[in-house]
Amino acid sequence: MDWLLLRELQTEARLSFSELSRRVHLSPPAVAERVRKLEESGVIGGYRAHVDPRLVGRGVVALVTMSCYGPGCVLRNPEALRSADVLEVHRVTGGACCVLRVAVATMADFEELIDRLSAYGTPSSSMVLSSPVPWRPTLPPGG
């Protein structure tokens, strides 16, 4: 039942408990209680709008791989990652420390961002040309 709720909420987080209850065939109070428990346990970490950076003036989107380790690593310097240009940070395995998804308005802005990140390690970037699968809901294993 929780997976049914999660599937519906990930598709449309603004559903009312009444509509959600209709879709999963539970009473609104039962739905409210289950959703509250999912929130309290951290399974649901929040509700957000998916915004396309390109449509709000951030037309340059890239993945920046950082090679940095030790005390100067970008991950040990939270201030470096607080920039509104940094949309996501993923610590990874392999030859790099982390991968950042960034979005800026212009190539000049991108160059400035790379220069700032260079203080923490060696950045390598890949420009995002398109995102055929921009986001998917988390489904149950095998689902």
mmCIF file of all heavy atoms in Angstrom, residues 107-117:
data_model
loop_
_atom_site.group_PDB
_atom_site.id
_atom_site.type_symbol
_atom_site.label_atom_id
_atom_site.label_comp_id
_atom_site.label_asym_id
_atom_site.label_seq_id
_atom_site.Cartn_x
_atom_site.Cartn_y
_atom_site.Cartn_z
ATOM 1 N N MET A 107 27.929 30.861 -20.773
ATOM 2 C CA MET A 107 29.223 30.182 -20.752
ATOM 3 C C MET A 107 30.227 30.967 -19.916
ATOM 4 O O MET A 107 31.083 30.373 -19.264
ATOM 5 C CB MET A 107 29.752 29.972 -22.169
ATOM 6 C CG MET A 107 29.038 28.862 -22.910
ATOM 7 S SD MET A 107 29.081 27.258 -22.063
ATOM 8 C CE MET A 107 30.795 26.841 -22.207
ATOM 9 N N ALA A 108 30.127 32.284 -19.900
ATOM 10 C CA ALA A 108 31.021 33.085 -19.053
ATOM 11 C C ALA A 108 30.774 32.748 -17.579
ATOM 12 O O ALA A 108 31.719 32.615 -16.793
ATOM 13 C CB ALA A 108 30.813 34.574 -19.315
ATOM 14 N N ASP A 109 29.521 32.573 -17.202
ATOM 15 C CA ASP A 109 29.185 32.167 -15.832
ATOM 16 C C ASP A 109 29.741 30.775 -15.538
ATOM 17 O O ASP A 109 30.214 30.506 -14.440
ATOM 18 C CB ASP A 109 27.677 32.175 -15.603
ATOM 19 C CG ASP A 109 27.075 33.565 -15.688
ATOM 20 O OD1 ASP A 109 27.774 34.541 -15.373
ATOM 21 O OD2 ASP A 109 25.896 33.654 -16.082
ATOM 22 N N PHE A 110 29.674 29.898 -16.539
ATOM 23 C CA PHE A 110 30.202 28.546 -16.362
ATOM 24 C C PHE A 110 31.714 28.589 -16.150
ATOM 25 O O PHE A 110 32.246 27.901 -15.280
ATOM 26 C CB PHE A 110 29.841 27.667 -17.562
ATOM 27 C CG PHE A 110 30.293 26.250 -17.422
ATOM 28 C CD1 PHE A 110 29.709 25.408 -16.484
ATOM 29 C CD2 PHE A 110 31.314 25.754 -18.213
ATOM 30 C CE1 PHE A 110 30.129 24.094 -16.335
ATOM 31 C CE2 PHE A 110 31.737 24.441 -18.076
ATOM 32 C CZ PHE A 110 31.147 23.617 -17.132
ATOM 33 N N GLU A 111 32.373 29.402 -16.913
ATOM 34 C CA GLU A 111 33.827 29.550 -16.765
ATOM 35 C C GLU A 111 34.181 30.049 -15.365
ATOM 36 O O GLU A 111 35.101 29.542 -14.722
ATOM 37 C CB GLU A 111 34.371 30.507 -17.829
ATOM 38 C CG GLU A 111 35.873 30.606 -17.846
ATOM 39 C CD GLU A 111 36.398 31.466 -18.991
ATOM 40 O OE1 GLU A 111 35.592 32.006 -19.786
ATOM 41 O OE2 GLU A 111 37.630 31.599 -19.079
ATOM 42 N N GLU A 112 33.428 31.017 -14.857
ATOM 43 C CA GLU A 112 33.660 31.525 -13.500
ATOM 44 C C GLU A 112 33.432 30.430 -12.459
ATOM 45 O O GLU A 112 34.191 30.311 -11.492
ATOM 46 C CB GLU A 112 32.736 32.712 -13.214
ATOM 47 C CG GLU A 112 33.109 33.980 -13.944
ATOM 48 C CD GLU A 112 32.102 35.091 -13.713
ATOM 49 O OE1 GLU A 112 31.398 35.072 -12.679
ATOM 50 O OE2 GLU A 112 32.013 35.973 -14.587
ATOM 51 N N LEU A 113 32.394 29.617 -12.646
ATOM 52 C CA LEU A 113 32.114 28.525 -11.719
ATOM 53 C C LEU A 113 33.262 27.515 -11.721
ATOM 54 O O LEU A 113 33.717 27.075 -10.665
ATOM 55 C CB LEU A 113 30.789 27.837 -12.082
ATOM 56 C CG LEU A 113 30.411 26.613 -11.256
ATOM 57 C CD1 LEU A 113 30.276 26.968 -9.772
ATOM 58 C CD2 LEU A 113 29.134 26.000 -11.780
ATOM 59 N N ILE A 114 33.749 27.155 -12.897
ATOM 60 C CA ILE A 114 34.872 26.216 -12.999
ATOM 61 C C ILE A 114 36.104 26.801 -12.315
ATOM 62 O O ILE A 114 36.826 26.098 -11.598
ATOM 63 C CB ILE A 114 35.158 25.862 -14.474
ATOM 64 C CG1 ILE A 114 34.009 25.040 -15.057
ATOM 65 C CG2 ILE A 114 36.492 25.134 -14.618
ATOM 66 C CD1 ILE A 114 33.788 23.692 -14.396
ATOM 67 N N ASP A 115 36.337 28.082 -12.503
ATOM 68 C CA ASP A 115 37.480 28.727 -11.826
ATOM 69 C C ASP A 115 37.331 28.647 -10.311
ATOM 70 O O ASP A 115 38.298 28.375 -9.603
ATOM 71 C CB ASP A 115 37.613 30.185 -12.271
ATOM 72 C CG ASP A 115 38.117 30.326 -13.707
ATOM 73 O OD1 ASP A 115 38.634 29.328 -14.263
ATOM 74 O OD2 ASP A 115 37.969 31.428 -14.271
ATOM 75 N N ARG A 116 36.127 28.865 -9.789
ATOM 76 C CA ARG A 116 35.896 28.771 -8.336
ATOM 77 C C ARG A 116 36.114 27.343 -7.837
ATOM 78 O O ARG A 116 36.720 27.118 -6.799
ATOM 79 C CB ARG A 116 34.488 29.242 -7.975
ATOM 80 C CG ARG A 116 34.279 30.735 -8.072
ATOM 81 C CD ARG A 116 32.991 31.202 -7.393
ATOM 82 N NE ARG A 116 31.802 30.426 -7.639
ATOM 83 C CZ ARG A 116 30.915 30.664 -8.611
ATOM 84 N NH1 ARG A 116 31.079 31.667 -9.437
ATOM 85 N NH2 ARG A 116 29.842 29.900 -8.743
ATOM 86 N N LEU A 117 35.611 26.373 -8.591
ATOM 87 C CA LEU A 117 35.754 24.978 -8.187
ATOM 88 C C LEU A 117 37.201 24.504 -8.259
ATOM 89 O O LEU A 117 37.613 23.616 -7.502
ATOM 90 C CB LEU A 117 34.864 24.081 -9.050
ATOM 91 C CG LEU A 117 33.360 24.235 -8.838
ATOM 92 C CD1 LEU A 117 32.584 23.447 -9.889
ATOM 93 C CD2 LEU A 117 32.958 23.802 -7.429
#
